[in-house]
Amino acid sequence: MSTHTAAEILIVVGDNPERIKSEAALAKLAGISPIPASSGMTSGRYRINRGGHRQLNAAIYRAAIVRMRGHEPTKVYVARRTAEGKTKRDIVRCLKRYIIREVYRLLRYGPKVAEYAT
């Protein structure tokens, strides 16, 4: 992750990371929380929430794209999900949610504890 991406995340979170109570709350703030894609039908498909902080969402998107290009475990994950029939948009949505989980752990518990949680 570049320094600009990390700076954008820290700017949005601000001086008080305790105000973000859960990983889901951070995902909603970033506009990465999943919303059912259909209206009432249980098709199991989700889309990304279009609300939230757009700059934070763009920063997380950049991190996902960089991981897809250069992070070997992510490349394996993308290949597996593509073989399962997922679209690139769905894969990016899942990666963004995974990245926001990692960011939340780092913000909440710090780098030392977050390393052991994975």
Side-chain angles (χ1 to χ4, degrees), residues 27-73:
K28 187 169 184 174
L29 176 67
I32 299 174
S33 57
I35 298 174
S38 61
S39 59
M41 303 297 286
T42 55
S43 64
R45 294 188 49 94
Y46 291 92
R47 62 182 176 85
I48 292 177
N49 183 357
R50 296 292 176 202
H53 196 276
R54 302 313 304 154
Q55 288 81 14
L56 178 58
N57 192 322
I60 300 296
Y61 176 80
R62 283 191 303 272
I65 295 303
V66 167
R67 276 189 173 197
M68 287 174 73
R69 290 182 185 159
H71 187 241
E72 200 56 44

